[in-house]
Every structure is written in structure tokens, then in C-alpha cells.
Amino acid sequence: MNFLPRLLAAQTKNESLLCVGLDPEPGRFPAPWRGDAARIFDFCARIVDATKDLACAFKPQIAYFAAQRAEDQLERVLAHIRRVAPELPVILDAKRGDIG
């Protein structure tokens, strides 16, 4: 199934137009993880788990991962989404220059 039918099916199933952005910035993590870039996967996976039945898509912003040299964690996040919400499309936000 290509993108548009998957998106429409997810919108119908979850009765949602919500696209959840995954923009991990360790300096804004909850207190126990604040500043710890090694927790990017954990942070994003918890967001995915909490919103998978509320969203119609996920949109990780690659620049946030790259800024922390956490591309491996991005791959893990994508695998997690495919495992726990395989029906939801992923939109990889690959623009640059829009984060501090």
C-alpha cells in the first residue's frame, strides 16, 4: 500500500488528523533524562507508545537526531514505530537549518 491510502486508513482507524512530530532535544527532556542524548530513543519511543492510537502519522525530524550524532537512535525509533504501529505512515522531516 502506498503513502496516501495508508494515511487515509490511519486517519479513519484512529479518527485523527494528528501527525506527531518527534523532535528530541535532550535539554528539554524530563528532569531525570535532561541533557542525556543517550536517552533519545527512550524519549521518542515513549511518545510513540503514548500516541500510536491517537495519531495518523509520525514525523521524526532528522536534524535533531543528527545534531546529537544519534542517527542510530533514529533507526531504532523507526524500527519501534514499525513494530508497535505498523499501519501508521512515517514522514521523515529531512529539512535543515530550521533548528537552533
Side-chain angles (χ1 to χ4, degrees), residues 2-100:
N2 62 25
F3 178 78
L4 189 54
R6 284 184 72 199
L7 179 62
L8 294 173
Q11 288 174 348
T12 300
K13 178 182 181 230
N14 288 345
E15 298 179 349
S16 175
L17 297 175
L18 176 66
C19 177
V20 176
L22 299 171
D23 305 340
E25 189 174 329
R28 293 183 172 194
F29 284 2
W33 297 351
R34 188 160 297 133
D36 186 355
R39 301 304 298 258
I40 288 174
F41 169 79
D42 300 315
F43 179 77
C44 291
R46 286 193 178 188
I47 292 170
V48 168
D49 292 345
T51 61
K52 67 185 180 209
D53 61 337
L54 305 172
C56 67
F58 289 104
K59 186 178 68 73
Q61 171 32 294
I62 193 171
Y64 280 93
F65 291 85
Q68 301 296 324
R69 299 189 184 278
E71 289 89 345
D72 60 325
Q73 292 186 70
L74 172 59
E75 289 180 24
R76 290 177 57 208
V77 169
L78 296 173
H80 182 72
I81 294 169
R82 287 190 297 271
R83 187 171 48 257
V84 302
E87 69 283 358
L88 297 185
V90 174
I91 303 162
L92 184 59
D93 185 345
K95 66 186 177 299
R96 298 297 179 122
D98 65 331
I99 67 167

